[in-house]
């Protein structure tokens, strides 16, 4: 076996292991750890494809393995995080949000077959959805002051299932060049990201709560979704 072929698979399997451990952390109510592991999985997911392209060793097995790893890290893990987070609040009703894992699998299957998604996405990418939920579930229970708030999260989970499969274009953050004309939407997004991250960090310092800094993940994904929906509406 060519040793170079092992490198992308190493990153893919590392992604899968991050998702498996994040799922375990969810069952232990270690939501900050779960969030960190999902972020680490996203890091590995970025590098498996990049190294495969750089080394010129793409293969069908790598594509299939990547989808399996992604469904664990960005499908099952965030669904388990949300379900475990909601269980103390709404009991066994929390199991209904596990449907997000199934919709994530459908999203990944659609991505593999849809030839329109070579340079952008149709529907919300699973890593973005996973980061949103893992970040949001770092919220202390003390902030859930109203009985209806957990049900808002359930409703939002159904909305995210819709967004995963929706025929809404989402831009990719891959840059082919750095000209403003070709990438103005990405630059606007990144400017917003810097602002949101700084605000969340300042809030964390002011209130002396790490969780406010972790909310940056959810805030960035919300900004990404809102910007893409606005761009889609402007083109109609």
């Amino acid at each position: 076996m060519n040793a170079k072929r092992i490198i992308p698979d190493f990153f893919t399997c590392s992604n899968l292991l991050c998702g498996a451990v994040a799922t375990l952390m969810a069952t232990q109510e270690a939501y900050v750890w779960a969030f960190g592991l999902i972020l680490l999985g996203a890091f590995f997911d970025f590098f498996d494809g990049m190294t495969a392209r750089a080394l010129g060793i793409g293969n069908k097995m790598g594509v299939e393995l990547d989808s399996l790893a992604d469904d664990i890290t960005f499908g099952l893990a965030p669904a388990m995080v949300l379900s475990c987070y909601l269980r103390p609040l709404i009991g066994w009703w929390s199991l209904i949000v596990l449907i997000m894992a199934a919709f994530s699998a459908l999203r990944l299957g659609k991505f593999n077959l849809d030839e329109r998604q070579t340079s952008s996405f149709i529907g919300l990418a699973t890593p973005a959805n996973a980061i949103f939920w893992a970040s949001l579930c770092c919220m202390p229970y003390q902030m859930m002051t109203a009985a209806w708030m957990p049900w808002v999260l359930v409703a939002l989970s159904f909305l995210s299932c819709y967004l995963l499969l929706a025929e809404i274009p989402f831009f990719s953050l891959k840059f082919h060049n750095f000209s403003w004309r070709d990438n103005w939407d990405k630059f606007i997004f990144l400017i917003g990201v810097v602002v949101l991250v700084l605000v969340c960090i300042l809030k964390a310092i002011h209130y002396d709560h790490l969780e406010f800094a972790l909310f940056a993940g959810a805030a960035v994904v919300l900004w990404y979704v809102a910007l893409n929906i606005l761009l889609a509406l402007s083109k109609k």
Side-chain angles (χ1 to χ4, degrees):
M1 177 182 290
N2 189 335
K4 290 194 300 183
R5 293 185 178 275
I6 299 174
I7 298 173
D9 290 345
F10 168 79
F11 285 117
T12 304
C13 290
S14 297
N15 171 20
L16 188 151
L17 290 172
C18 285
V21 180
T23 303
L24 177 62
M25 291 296 102
T27 64
Q28 302 302 309
E29 299 183 359
Y31 302 119
V32 174
W33 279 99
F35 178 38
L37 285 160
I38 287 173
L39 284 178
L40 185 59
F43 171 83
F44 286 128
D45 182 51
F46 174 80
F47 276 100
D48 66 358
M50 188 182 74
T51 53
R53 288 188 296 271
L55 296 172
I57 52 174
N59 58 79
K60 291 184 178 180
M61 178 181 172
V63 173
E64 298 301 325
L65 182 61
D66 183 63
S67 292
L68 290 171
D70 285 355
D71 195 37
I72 296 296
T73 305
F74 309 127
L76 177 62
M80 280 293 293
V81 167
L82 180 59
S83 181
C84 293
Y85 180 81
L86 289 174
R87 186 177 174 187
L89 302 171
I90 60 174
W92 291 107
W93 285 106
S94 62
L95 293 176
I96 60 178
V97 302
L98 291 176
I99 194 174
M100 193 160 55
F103 272 81
S104 297
L106 290 170
R107 171 70 180 85
L108 291 163
K110 178 183 177 183
F111 176 79
N112 287 344
L113 298 174
D114 194 341
E115 296 180 356
R116 298 174 298 169
Q117 302 189 58
T118 54
S119 59
S120 61
F121 303 115
I122 305 296
L124 181 64
T126 53
N129 185 61
I131 289 171
F132 173 81
W133 286 110
S135 169
L136 198 64
C137 289
C138 292
M139 176 170 51
Y141 284 120
Q142 294 88 330
M143 296 181 66
M144 306 288 283
T145 54
W148 50 265
M149 290 182 70
W151 296 104
V152 170
L153 296 185
V154 172
L156 285 175
S157 74
F158 294 154
L159 177 60
S160 72
C161 288
Y162 164 75
L163 289 174
L164 286 168
L165 299 180
E167 289 289 309
I168 300 173
F170 285 82
F171 58 75
S172 166
L173 290 177
K174 295 177 182 177
F175 286 84
H176 299 290
N177 60 64
F178 293 100
S179 72
W180 173 266
R181 180 178 179 180
D182 295 334
N183 301 287
W184 63 270
D185 49 354
K186 299 173 188 177
F187 284 125
I188 290 174
F189 170 70
L190 291 174
I191 291 168
V193 168
V194 172
V195 172
L196 288 170
V197 170
L198 286 176
V199 168
C200 289
I201 290 174
L202 290 174
K203 286 286 187 182
I205 295 171
H206 179 73
Y207 292 105
D208 194 26
H209 278 294
L210 171 65
E211 289 83 0
F212 282 105
L214 300 180
F215 289 165
V220 165
V221 174
L222 279 176
W223 165 232
Y224 176 69
V225 171
L227 179 59
N228 277 279
I229 290 176
L230 287 172
L231 290 172
L233 291 174
S234 68
K235 294 175 182 177
K236 289 186 176 181

